[in-house]
Amino acid sequence: MPKRRLYLNDEEYQYATLCLNGMRNDYLAADRSCGGIDRLLLKLVRASYRSIVSR
């Protein structure tokens, strides 16, 4: 596997997206800055390597 790549199956990808979005919502509700979470969430959504073939 190449360095700095994260390979997720569909369930892990969905869980990571939901968790980051939930954390973002909590930050917004607490009136805190969520810029770092936004950048990470965008990287995850735009990733071209998001699923793997099961062996």
Side-chain angles (χ1 to χ4, degrees), residues 6-20 44 49-54:
L6 179 63
Y7 293 93
L8 303 173
N9 61 27
D10 290 334
E11 184 179 341
E12 293 168 337
Y13 175 79
Q14 181 181 10
Y15 188 70
T17 306
L18 289 174
C19 288
L20 283 173
L44 181 66
Y49 298 100
R50 82 169 174 209
S51 62
I52 60 171
V53 178
S54 299

Side-chain angles (χ1 to χ4, degrees), residues 12-39:
E12 293 168 337
Y13 175 79
Q14 181 181 10
Y15 188 70
T17 306
L18 289 174
C19 288
L20 283 173
N21 195 33
M23 185 185 300
R24 182 179 183 275
N25 290 339
D26 291 342
Y27 270 57
L28 289 173
D31 207 19
R32 294 176 63 186
S33 173
C34 60
I37 298 170
D38 288 342
R39 285 190 293 274

